[in-house]
Amino acid sequence: MPAIKHLALPFVLILGIVLGWVLGTQSRDKAMSVPESPVGVSLNGTGRTDGPASDGQVPDETSEIGGILGLAGTDPGRLTIEQKLERIDMLKRSPSLSSTIAMLDVVASMSESEVHKALQDMGERGMGSLQDYMFPYHLFTAWVEMNPKAAYAYYENEASPSQKQMYATSLFSAWAVTDLDAAMTAAEGIQNEQQQAMAISAVAMSLAGRDPNAAFELLQGRENIKPWNYTTVFMLWAAQDLDAAIARFQSLPLGDIRRDALAGVMNGLAHSNVERAAQMAMSFEAGEERDNALSLVINRWFNYDFEGAVQFINGLEEGADKNKILSSAVWAMSRQDPEQALEFVQANMSGRARDDAITTVFRQMANDAPARAAELVSELPYGRVYSQSVQNIAQQWSGRDPVAAIEWVNTLPAGEEQERALRTSLRNFAMYQPAEAKVYLLNMPEGKDRNTLTSAIGGKLSEADPEAAAVWAQSLTDAELSGTAMNSVIKTWAFRDPAALLGFLEANGTEAQISENASSIAEAWARKDLKSAAEWALTLDAESRRDAVAQVAKEWLEHNTEEASVWISELDVGPAKDQAIRGLVNKVYRSDASAAFAWAVTIDNQQQRERSTRQTISELKRNGREEEAIKLIRRSDLADAEKEKLLEYLD
């Protein structure tokens, strides 16, 4: 499966380019076959025109019909550049083979200046469809035929960095067909390493269709070449000369290039003869290479011949090897027919591999048909597979139909699985359908499930508009529900804009709400503005101040330990300072146990002081620094009783 995903995008791109090249060639041939130019139109040697009819007007019948729809039947050579671009836009809106050919007819009629204008126009408007991404290839193909150096100059000097990523494939693929050496020279002259690699890749991919060995040699030894290049080269090579591709692959040393070459060979062979591909994969020595080859072949096989793949696997010897092959194929099996895949796995696999495979099948089934998966999961024995599958079904189903998912979850046997699935379903309800969840909430009975949904709704609403979410929370008539919702809003809002949250709470909330959430507010605020958070924390009442100061100190210690220690030293004696010092000790005791001990002895609370001093002395003892520890203890201002406890610990 990973190998197929790895290849998918480049493969589609190459197919698109090849199709574009073929259609473009056909379209140009068609344009070239026109026996004579229309009256009033001057054609150059390639069948292109630099403009409309000599009087600058489109023929009367076109203007009488009016609009771009009337231009659809007009010879492209008789259109202005603006009309050509309008026709192309119209054709792109209804993609088909005939539309593509008609579009290429328009491109074939363009002069060099018109191609330039078309690229500029497209660059200004951006990309809105797949056709927009393929169209530059056609334009550059036409321009390369007329003037490759000018096309390259446009790429170098006028294209934006983002456009260059797309234009490199278009320009250099087309150029490599007409003049390989010139295309390579230009590609190697590009200073930007990433853009150079893309250009060389485009040249190599264009060359691979004609001479894969030459394309492979071109890629060898070059840095920044993406792995899929080798995969594509060997895939095309296998289609042209399988024996040569296999021989070249087998000559490669172990490593990334050999791995990518193997993916290409197996893809190419499996496309034409999947049984032979499977036999070849089985012939490899047991190991990662054999596993990768089999995984790729079996996945492809299941995609278009499920029964044939099943028959092949049935013919394998029972054991760990068969389990491993099946494990790699389960994903493809379950995509084609999850219920048949489930039956097959249950009948043919064993052990942990069987459990993992069944979980994979249920994950896929939950994605495609969650209601059916919910019916079948009840047949599973209680255990790891059941637990994971219930959670997967709840996750997928509640993303689409949360009410149905919740109703199903409520039919499950009471226990941890049901509780987890219900929490997942309620949270997804709030995430994907918050308005409906708010209505559903009002009809729920009291309890933790209602609180879970309330909290989830509050968090979701506050992501978009925290103030509106807070107003909603305060509007709930049930005091417990309102408090739960408000706490959720506050926690989310605190990490977005703690100052704005405080302003709202001071105007519309209560002191209790600020105190209860002081720690969360301080933590979020300290990440944005340490000093403002520190100033605010010191204005709180004693209990809230302790938690808020601890959060500020924690963030400050991570940011700048020296600055934090100065701030902590200036705090008033009390619980807040003790909490901050404990954070400082925890931060530095491993790197500087002596300094940590000096801080620990200043803690006002005896229990916390004893815990922190012993922590630092333990670190010194662990590192064989008992003598130093004894000196620190005896020189400290600790009470004699505390000193004796620490000295006894060292003994």
Side-chain angles (χ1 to χ4, degrees), residues 216 230 234 246-265 284 289:
F216 175 73
Y230 291 102
F234 274 86
I246 292 174
R248 193 69 180 89
F249 153 71
Q250 291 175 335
S251 71
L252 296 173
L254 294 175
D256 292 344
I257 294 177
R258 181 182 172 97
R259 181 200 63 213
D260 299 325
L262 172 63
V265 170
F284 294 147
E289 196 164 73

Side-chain angles (χ1 to χ4, degrees), residues 4 28 155 208 213 219 234 252 309 317 323 342 355 364 401 517 646:
I4 291 177
R28 286 191 299 275
Y155 163 84
N213 182 59
L219 294 173
F234 274 86
L252 296 173
E317 293 183 8
N323 274 343
L342 181 61
D355 287 353
Q364 183 64 45
D401 189 345
N517 294 278
L646 290 173

